[in-house]
Each structure stands twice: as structure tokens, then as C-alpha cells.
Amino acid sequence: AIRRLASTGREGQGAGVRRREEEQGGDEPKLQRAVSYWKPKLDKNNVISNPMHQWILPWLPHFKNESMMGTMFADIRRCLKKTLSFISKHERSDITFFSSCIAVLSPWQKLFEASTIFGLTSESVTPRFARSLAKMSIEFSNQDQNWDKVTALMNYFNADLMSSDDFLSLVEGEILASWAQCLHCALESKTPNLSTTSKFYYAWKERLFGHPSNSSKSHVSLQGDLMVCRYFFGGLEMIKASIESDQAKLESLTPPHPKDCNYRIALMHR
């Protein structure tokens, strides 16, 4: 009888605690604990099989405890960073990794400020973009040029997940330095093919600047950047010097070696 009474007492106390939790928003602590213990999982296609946004975002409009919300937002940010690192560790393809990062971060754009999303990208995605672009081959023949990595970078920036400084620094430090060297080497040859050189120049100009009638966010950003425009102006000056057979001027326009340039250096100058 005493055991039954004690058991009944504990059940009564538990019911009282549950009632108080419900009155004070009992689902909020549960959701916060779920976020704290959450770990990303991949399916057989290396896609996150348990994305957080699917089960967290529907609950947030019902939250009333602002102090708890602040703590949860910090936990969510930590989980997002953990997710990006997790995908990077398991996904060998750079292009697939960048697409996966868009899928992970995009659902949170309305919840977090842009600076928070940009910070996550700077910490976990931009360095891999830099490594990937640094290994990209700049082909003098446009038919042989693979644009996948450039397209991936522009798509990522167009998705509003990367800061302008990071984007422009990647283009300047990891792409244009190699592009300028390739152009200069072609013009230094004894018999430069100016027709092929012009096609090379305008193919890259069109790819990065786009058309006035159909410009994306990335195109507009590149069009308005002083350092990017300097590279293309320098390219025109190289072509002009070659046409005029002005070897002294062409030599003076020798661009810095790509090994001496990278996005971190470019970023420091911005």
C-alpha cells in the first residue's frame, strides 16, 4: 500500500511538472535538446537525409521564449557549420559539394541575417572554392575550357549565400591571375595568333561580365569592381602591345605569377 501511494505520488508530481512545462512552452526545451543532440546523416547519394530545416522551421512561429530562441539560434548555427564540414569531409566532388551547401543554407536565409550566412560560407565553403579554383586549368582554346567551377561560383553568389568581398576576391586571386598569365604567355610567343587571342579574351569577358540585357547579380558585381576591370584593361593593353610589336611594353605588362596571388591576399586589399 505504501509503495502504491509513493508511486501515485510520483506520478502526480510528474503530471504536475508536465502541466507546468506545457503552460510554459514545454515543446521549446524539447526542441532545443533535439537541436543540441542532432547529427547530420548522409544517404547513399551523399545527400543529407535528416535536414534540420524540415523539422525545426515549422515550430519556430510558436515559440514565445525569446531568451531560449537566442540560445537555439546559436545551436542551429553551430549545427549548420557542422553540417558543411561533414559534407566537405565525405563529398569528393567540388561541384557536388557546392550544390549541397546551397541546399543546406538556403532554407535558413529568412531566419538568419545575411552576415550570419556569409560567415558560415567564409568559414566552411570559401576555402574549398579557393582550392578548387586554384587547380582549374585555363585553356587558351575556348573549346577546351571547362567552365563548371566558374559557373558553380557564380551560382553560389547569385543564391545570396556569399559576401561580395569573398566572391570578388576568389575571382581576382584564384582565376584572373592565371587568366592574365595565360594571355601574356600566348602573346609572348614568336607568332601570336591574334584571332585566337581575341576569342580567348572576349570569351572570358562575356563569361564574367555577361550581357547588358541579361546580367545576373554576379555579372553586375564583377562589372563594377575596380580590380577585376584592371585585369581586363591590362589584357587589352597586352593585345595592343602585341599588335604594335612593342615588346618592351608587353614585358612591362607581365602579370604577377599565380603562385603569388590568392583570394586571401586579394581579400586583405579590399
Side-chain angles (χ1 to χ4, degrees):
I2 293 174
R3 289 197 186 95
R4 284 198 300 271
L5 183 60
S7 175
T8 303
R10 286 194 296 272
E11 290 174 359
Q13 290 173 355
V17 170
R18 284 194 296 274
R19 279 197 301 272
R20 285 195 297 275
E21 278 190 347
E22 290 171 1
E23 292 170 359
Q24 298 171 6
D27 288 323
E28 295 180 18
K30 293 177 184 177
L31 192 58
Q32 187 169 358
R33 286 195 297 271
V35 171
S36 298
Y37 293 126
W38 179 85
K39 292 182 179 180
K41 297 178 181 178
L42 295 175
D43 61 17
K44 61 182 180 179
N45 297 315
N46 273 359
V47 176
I48 297 295
S49 60
N50 59 336
M52 279 198 305
H53 68 271
Q54 290 185 355
W55 53 274
I56 292 180
L57 291 179
W59 282 98
L60 294 182
H62 306 288
F63 270 46
K64 298 178 181 179
N65 190 325
E66 293 186 6
S67 62
M68 189 172 290
M69 281 284 284
T71 302
M72 180 173 291
F73 280 9
D75 288 341
I76 292 173
R77 186 193 183 284
R78 199 157 38 244
C79 286
L80 289 174
K81 183 179 180 180
K82 179 168 61 178
T83 303
L84 298 175
S85 299
F86 181 75
I87 298 173
S88 182
K89 181 179 178 180
H90 290 84
E91 181 54 68
R92 294 184 177 181
S93 167
D94 290 334
I95 303 301
T96 303
F97 170 70
F98 301 139
S99 297
S100 297
C101 291
I102 292 176
V104 168
L105 293 178
S106 292
W108 301 97
Q109 286 177 292
K110 292 183 179 179
L111 183 65
F112 288 109
E113 293 183 357
S115 59
T116 299
I117 299 295
F118 293 166
L120 286 165
T121 290
S122 288
E123 293 171 10
S124 304
V125 186
T126 300
R128 181 148 174 181
F129 260 120
R131 293 192 298 271
S132 179
L133 292 168
K135 293 183 288 186
M136 183 179 72
S137 296
I138 305 295
E139 303 293 344
F140 196 64
S141 171
N142 296 325
Q143 289 78 12
D144 298 330
Q145 183 63 55
N146 187 324
W147 299 101
D148 288 351
K149 293 179 180 180
V150 177
T151 300
L153 175 61
M154 297 179 82
N155 288 342
Y156 196 96
F157 180 68
N158 289 336
D160 294 325
L161 299 173
M162 177 183 284
S163 70
S164 294
D165 282 345
D166 272 13
F167 172 67
L168 294 170
S169 297
L170 284 166
V171 173
E172 177 191 344
E174 306 296 351
I175 298 176
L176 289 180
S178 297
W179 172 83
Q181 185 191 45
C182 181
L183 176 60
H184 191 268
C185 288
L187 293 171
E188 274 192 320
S189 65
K190 293 182 179 179
T191 55
N193 187 323
L194 293 178
S195 174
T196 305
T197 301
S198 296
K199 290 178 181 179
F200 171 79
Y201 178 91
Y202 284 108
W204 275 91
K205 184 174 181 288
E206 182 178 327
R207 179 70 56 168
L208 297 186
F209 287 171
H211 294 284
S213 60
N214 186 26
S215 294
S216 66
K217 176 186 173 183
S218 55
H219 292 141
V220 173
S221 184
L222 291 167
Q223 291 168 16
D225 186 70
L226 179 61
M227 292 306 300
V228 171
C229 290
R230 278 184 179 178
Y231 267 101
F232 279 94
F233 178 73
L236 281 179
E237 288 294 295
M238 292 180 206
I239 295 172
K240 181 182 176 183
S242 180
I243 292 173
E244 296 173 350
S245 299
D246 190 341
Q247 292 301 316
K249 184 178 180 181
L250 184 59
E251 186 175 347
S252 72
L253 292 168
T254 301
H257 196 280
K259 290 183 178 179
D260 298 325
C261 306
N262 59 59
Y263 91 97
R264 293 189 184 277
I265 294 174
L267 189 59
M268 283 193 302
H269 294 156
R270 293 184 178 275

